[in-house]
Amino acid sequence: MTHDAQLDATFAALANPTRRAILARLATGPATVNDLAKPFEMSLPAISQHIRVLQKAGLIERTQTAQFRPCTLNAQPLQQIADWTEQYRHIWSARFDALDTALSNMKDHDND
Amino acid sequence: MTHDAQLDATFAALANPTRRAILARLATGPATVNDLAKPFEMSLPAISQHIRVLQKAGLIERTQTAQFRPCTLNAQPLQQIADWTEQYRHIWSARFDALDTALSNMKDHDND
């Protein structure tokens, strides 16, 4: 997968609250599909479909051998989007700095 | 928009290389739709459609009054996804630490 295709797949996989909740659960350790389905009012096929999307994006890995084929989180694609997002940090930081300055000016004005 | 709905919209908007390129261009300053269309071999309606998706996610703001209604980047939704991603940093960091230890052990072994 190219870097762009990987970002497409990761961002698309994350654009769903159930899939984000599945990742949050897997951040605490591996889980079977049945474990993952429990907290959601959703059919097993619906959960399996979400897991497949996460797996295609490389966010979930599944062992082929173990009987219940537990799912494991692979955080590497998340690191890629963290790196991608980082290039915009100076923009939102600048906005905070401007707000800080404005608030500080208002305070100075109050003390006049 | 709820926090979850905002994350859905931001992640979905970012799952496309043209839309990410538009944001990269806007990070250098405001631009009109015509300016944004130039580097892409794409019709103006196709570019406008991408801009609408970015606008709905709050990633682009457009002035209503100016004649050419330039687009401006709003980095706040990007900060939200940076914050969201941050909760997984300890996982990919742990992986790097493990790799570091493994490499260091290999080096020690070479020196035996």
Side-chain angles (χ1 to χ4, degrees):
Chain A
M1 238 196 283
T2 64
H3 185 66
D4 252 344
Q6 175 62 61
L7 283 175
D8 286 0
T10 309
F11 281 129
L14 296 176
N16 179 285
T18 304
R19 290 199 289 266
R20 290 195 300 275
I22 290 173
L23 293 183
R25 165 62 190 82
L26 290 177
T28 68
T32 64
V33 176
N34 278 322
D35 289 339
L36 291 173
K38 264 174 218 161
F40 303 105
E41 287 181 6
M42 223 177 258
S43 68
L44 217 54
I47 287 288
S48 297
Q49 178 53 31
H50 282 309
I51 290 172
R52 263 195 298 276
V53 174
L54 291 165
Q55 222 178 331
K56 275 192 186 163
L59 287 157
I60 282 186
E61 286 165 356
R62 295 186 71 181
T63 38
Q64 295 299 325
T65 49
Q67 193 185 352
F68 298 105
R69 301 183 62 220
C71 300
T72 312
L73 176 65
N74 174 25
Q76 212 217 318
L78 298 178
Q79 185 185 7
Q80 278 180 359
I81 67 157
D83 290 346
W84 180 88
T85 314
E86 205 51 38
Q87 66 186 314
Y88 296 97
R89 181 176 294 275
H90 68 282
I91 298 177
W92 73 72
S93 299
R95 204 179 124 165
F96 275 127
D97 290 348
L99 194 66
D100 254 6
T101 309
L103 285 173
S104 160
N105 286 346
M106 281 168 69
K107 213 173 142 192
D108 288 350
H109 187 74
D110 284 350
N111 292 340
D112 281 350
Chain B
M1 235 195 285
T2 64
H3 186 66
D4 252 345
Q6 176 62 61
L7 283 175
D8 285 359
T10 308
F11 281 130
L14 295 176
N16 178 284
T18 304
R19 291 200 288 269
R20 291 196 299 275
I22 290 173
L23 293 183
R25 164 63 189 83
L26 290 176
T28 67
T32 64
V33 176
N34 277 323
D35 289 339
L36 291 173
K38 264 175 219 161
F40 303 104
E41 290 181 4
M42 223 178 256
S43 68
L44 218 53
I47 287 289
S48 297
Q49 178 53 31
H50 282 310
I51 290 173
R52 264 195 298 277
V53 174
L54 290 165
Q55 221 177 333
K56 275 192 185 163
L59 287 158
I60 282 186
E61 286 165 355
R62 295 185 72 181
T63 39
Q64 295 298 325
T65 50
Q67 192 184 353
F68 297 104
R69 301 183 61 222
C71 300
T72 311
L73 176 66
N74 173 24
Q76 213 216 317
L78 298 178
Q79 185 186 5
Q80 279 180 358
I81 66 157
D83 290 347
W84 181 87
T85 313
E86 205 52 36
Q87 66 185 313
Y88 295 97
R89 181 175 295 275
H90 67 283
I91 298 177
W92 73 72
S93 298
R95 203 179 124 165
F96 275 127
D97 289 348
L99 194 65
D100 254 6
T101 309
L103 286 173
S104 158
N105 286 347
M106 280 168 71
K107 213 173 140 190
D108 287 349
H109 187 74
D110 284 349
N111 292 340
D112 278 352

